[in-house]
Amino acid sequence: MLWRSSRRTAYDPRGRPAVEPMYALNFYTPIVADQLRSGRKTATIRLGDKSGKYKKGMVVQVLCGLRYSPRQKVFDAVIDKVEVKRLSEVSPREVEHDNPEIRRTDEMATFLGQLYNRPVSEDDIVTVIRFSEIRG
């Protein structure tokens, strides 16, 4: 049973803080798992403003698997940088850190459109999340 103090922090019955919730970056295709393990993928570009969910310094689990299916943990990571901008403002280097096969924002718009199953333009707002694997 969890008890709550007036500061809204969860505590266990012995007065110790409960475990903080775990956050995840999930990727849907197995190809991405290989890119993550090899260090070729060190960023993700997500459609919309995700700065409320992901913060610099946050520890996340990097997972691969389809929605509503079992997921495979690839590694734990720390978020190094979170930037919200128009897709047209994303640099070729940032695009490459997300998908090593893509270099241009127009190609990224097509790729994101396939992922999100809707038209995406270079005027859309995206969040660039840079992360580093935690080893040890």
Side-chain angles (χ1 to χ4, degrees), residues 21-116:
M22 179 59 75
Y23 292 90
L25 284 172
N26 189 61
F27 300 95
Y28 294 125
T29 62
I31 296 167
V32 173
D34 292 335
Q35 292 174 343
L36 289 162
R37 282 188 199 95
S38 69
R40 293 179 65 217
K41 181 174 179 66
T42 58
T44 183
I45 298 174
R46 303 286 167 110
L47 197 54
D49 182 348
K50 306 299 181 195
S51 62
K53 183 174 183 178
Y54 298 105
K55 304 283 185 195
K56 180 180 177 180
M58 181 183 279
V59 174
V60 296
Q61 289 185 343
V62 176
L63 309 172
C64 280
L66 298 175
R67 188 176 297 175
Y68 310 117
S69 298
R71 319 256 169 118
Q72 176 188 13
K73 181 178 174 182
V74 182
F75 52 72
D76 289 328
V78 64
I79 294 180
D80 298 314
K81 190 176 188 181
V82 178
E83 281 188 296
V84 179
K85 54 177 90 175
R86 294 199 184 285
L87 182 55
S88 61
E89 298 169 334
V90 175
S91 73
R93 190 163 189 77
E94 290 170 320
V95 170
E96 184 180 359
H97 282 287
D98 176 272
N99 187 329
E101 310 304 318
I102 296 177
R103 297 283 191 281
R104 299 189 334 252
T105 54
D106 62 324
E107 295 173 315
M108 180 56 73
T110 301
F111 178 73
L112 288 172
Q114 293 168 347
L115 276 178
Y116 287 92

